[in-house]
Amino acid sequence: MKIIFAGTPEFAVPALAALIAAGHEIVLVLTQPDRPAGRGMKLKASPVKALAQQHGLAVYQPETLKTPESQAPVAAAEADVMIVAAYGLILPQAVLDMPRQGCLNIHASLLPRWRGAAPIQRAILAGDAETGVTIMEVVLALDAGAMLKKGVVPITEHDTAQSLHDALADMGGRLMVETLAELDTIQAQPQDEALVTYAEKLRKDEAPLDWHGNADDLARQVRAFNPFPVAQATFQGEAWRIWMAYAVPDVSGTPGKVLDTSNGLLVACAKGALRITEVQKPGGKRLSARDFLAGSQLKPGDRFAA
């Protein structure tokens, strides 16, 4: 099958790799333009571009696809289908109509739950028991297309946004290969609009932990914001980054008070307590709580800003 692949970040890489391994003809790879990165702010290729170049694939990096000139290479590819995975640019209707069998998207949620920019993180924050991948038709409305295939992944108390991202990226590649093999017979299912929820983009101002909250909620916040924007707790005027933590329900105390340092860093919440297991001070390294406490004067009775 002749495929145009549209994707940019690491999430899209396993899908492109799976399509290549399955023997499909990738006639064009769309990815966002190289962006400045690193201390030197040198232009850096997207992860998808890097993989495409390794396989000698044609790469196209338009700033927009809204003009006839920018759309011309897509039309010239004469693709059977376009596969979209976290591309990051709006696809006008003219572009959606170019592939003979339409455009399919890999979305990291069990639609219609969590349409939008941050479905993985919002699923963790909400306390969902599971998430997954939906292969869907691309339409102009946000993540509103009919669904072709789903895969489910449970969310455990050890999962972070990063671990789920990796699992869902791999699943997305497998599901897309399966979907293409069944494309002529598979029946698309419309989404139930009554069940739609939206996953808003993460904001840095969501990072601070509120010790007056429930420990379960704070633990999910820590895991959802790992690796970005990373949850924060303020101690003596410093914003510490909290990378991993677990809720301890049967403990009580003054919100923000350090209860114990013998097994991680146990901090009281309004309901339960949070056991912090990975932490990072400003300018320091990310450390296990045990290693961090070995070089710290922090002790029970100290308090984080609440």
Side-chain angles (χ1 to χ4, degrees):
M1 187 171 285
K2 294 175 64 177
I3 293 173
I4 294 173
F5 185 86
T8 298
E10 287 289 348
F11 179 81
V13 169
L16 178 55
L19 293 169
I20 293 170
H24 291 289
E25 182 185 357
I26 312 299
V27 293
L28 186 65
V29 173
L30 298 178
T31 192
Q32 289 202 33
D34 297 358
R35 306 294 188 194
R39 292 184 177 180
M41 296 301 288
K42 295 182 179 179
L43 291 178
K44 184 178 180 180
S46 74
V48 163
K49 180 180 178 180
L51 179 61
Q53 289 179 326
Q54 290 175 20
H55 290 272
L57 303 177
V59 175
Y60 180 41
Q61 299 176 268
E63 290 282 358
T64 179
L65 283 167
K66 295 180 179 180
T67 66
E69 294 79 13
S70 65
Q71 296 168 7
V74 179
E78 298 184 339
D80 297 313
V81 67
M82 180 186 292
I83 305 302
V84 183
Y87 177 35
L89 287 187
I90 293 174
L91 298 175
Q93 189 64 51
V95 172
L96 298 180
D97 292 339
M98 287 175 181
R100 281 183 282 272
Q101 292 181 269
C103 299
L104 304 179
N105 182 57
I106 302 171
H107 185 74
S109 83
L110 297 173
L111 290 170
R113 188 164 177 78
W114 302 127
R115 293 180 184 177
I120 298 172
Q121 295 88 343
R122 297 301 175 191
I124 296 175
L125 283 170
D128 291 2
E130 62 185 20
T131 184
V133 169
T134 303
I135 306 298
M136 54 173 281
E137 297 174 349
V138 182
V139 296
L140 289 180
L142 178 67
D143 299 330
M147 305 173 294
L148 283 78
K149 190 176 283 285
K150 287 185 178 182
V152 177
V153 173
I155 301 176
T156 74
E157 67 171 358
H158 303 291
D159 277 312
T160 64
Q162 184 67 61
S163 68
L164 283 180
H165 167 282
D166 295 347
L168 296 175
D170 288 341
M171 173 177 280
R174 296 194 302 272
L175 283 182
M176 183 55 77
V177 170
E178 293 175 9
T179 300
L180 292 179
E182 304 167 14
L183 197 55
D184 292 336
T185 58
I186 200 167
Q187 294 294 316
Q189 299 294 322
Q191 296 185 39
D192 185 343
E193 294 294 325
L195 300 178
V196 170
T197 60
Y198 286 96
E200 296 181 5
K201 184 177 180 180
L202 295 182
R203 306 184 312 274
K204 289 185 178 180
D205 63 8
E206 295 181 82
L209 297 173
D210 181 0
W211 301 108
H212 291 96
N214 186 317
D216 287 328
D217 295 337
L218 268 63
R220 290 197 295 268
Q221 181 181 349
V222 170
R223 295 186 290 109
F225 291 0
N226 176 350
F228 177 85
V230 187
Q232 294 184 4
T234 301
F235 184 77
Q236 296 181 350
E238 290 186 334
W240 293 8
R241 306 179 90 188
I242 310 301
W243 286 93
M244 195 64 183
Y246 300 92
V248 179
D250 301 324
V251 178
S252 61
T254 304
K257 184 177 180 180
V258 177
L259 302 177
D260 182 55
T261 57
S262 63
N263 182 21
L265 178 56
L266 190 66
V267 183
C269 306
K271 183 176 181 181
L274 193 68
R275 189 178 303 282
I276 298 169
T277 58
E278 287 187 65
V279 64
Q280 182 180 15
K281 291 182 67 173
K285 295 180 179 180
R286 176 179 172 179
L287 298 171
S288 69
R290 177 175 297 180
D291 290 342
F292 176 84
L293 290 167
S296 170
Q297 299 299 314
L298 193 70
K299 59 186 183 302
D302 290 342
R303 287 190 64 183
F304 284 86

